[in-house]
Amino acid sequence: MFEYETFAQIANWSVSRTINESSWIFPLVQAFHLVALGFLSGALLMVDLRLLGKGFSQQPTARVARDARPWLLGSLVAMLLTGIPQFMSLATKEFESPYFRWKMGFLLTALIFTFTVRRLVAYAPEGRFGGAISKVVGLVSIGLWTSVAVNGRLIGFFS
């Protein structure tokens, strides 16, 4: 799909080299990325735990999802804005890492699932979907997003 040369060209951009060679830019970007990950995890878990019947049981699921939505969207934007520079500075390393490909595959799947199936179930009137369906959706969401995070971490450990 993508060739090594494309990734090598990205790694050779002056902005990519600047990020990679700086003693403070990459760590700062990575720190903000991790903070955004914390906010994303919180926004996701609030709704997923509600779908599982384990939290916010006094609130309708749709209300919990509406309240978490700005945090979800904001943290996704922040992760994109911090993830791109991280990728640019280490593009050839990412190309060689199977964990990067797995992370991107899980990320695409998690985003599609979150903004289609999970959204449909979370915003549905209470009782429209049975408890079992809600629980499965919550578990799948947690599994997909955990896979994104774990593979992201494995890139750093094994690449």
Side-chain angles (χ1 to χ4, degrees):
M1 185 163 163
F2 291 105
E3 295 186 21
Y4 181 84
E5 291 77 27
T6 304
F7 282 63
Q9 287 175 350
I10 293 168
N12 281 322
W13 292 345
S14 62
V15 66
S16 302
R17 288 193 320 273
T18 300
I19 294 166
N20 196 28
E21 294 167 3
S22 171
S23 62
W24 63 272
I25 295 174
F26 187 86
L28 185 65
V29 169
Q30 191 170 43
F32 279 110
H33 193 72
L34 292 174
V35 169
L37 175 62
F39 281 105
L40 176 65
S41 299
L44 290 165
L45 281 172
M46 285 176 56
V47 178
D48 291 340
L49 290 174
R50 178 63 184 96
L51 288 169
L52 291 168
K54 299 294 181 189
F56 302 99
S57 57
Q58 303 301 321
Q59 302 289 330
T61 306
R63 180 170 179 188
V64 174
R66 262 192 316 278
D67 290 348
R69 187 170 178 84
W71 296 99
L72 173 69
L73 296 175
S75 60
L76 282 172
V77 168
M79 294 209 58
L80 179 69
L81 293 175
T82 56
I84 290 172
Q86 287 186 88
F87 164 75
M88 289 169 49
S89 69
L90 301 170
T92 54
K93 178 181 173 182
E94 307 288 10
F95 178 84
E96 296 167 354
S97 173
Y99 302 109
F100 175 75
R101 290 187 194 96
W102 293 342
K103 176 185 175 181
M104 292 299 113
F106 280 119
L107 178 60
L108 179 61
T109 305
L111 287 168
I112 292 169
F113 183 82
T114 298
F115 290 104
T116 57
V117 175
R118 182 178 174 272
R119 184 174 189 270
L120 177 71
V121 173
Y123 283 93
E126 292 294 313
R128 179 171 179 200
F129 294 99
I133 291 174
S134 294
K135 286 180 169 82
V136 167
V137 168
L139 285 173
V140 168
S141 176
I142 291 170
L144 286 171
W145 286 105
T146 299
S147 297
V148 173
V150 166
N151 279 285
R153 193 61 226 129
L154 290 173
I155 293 168
F157 284 142
F158 297 110
S159 297

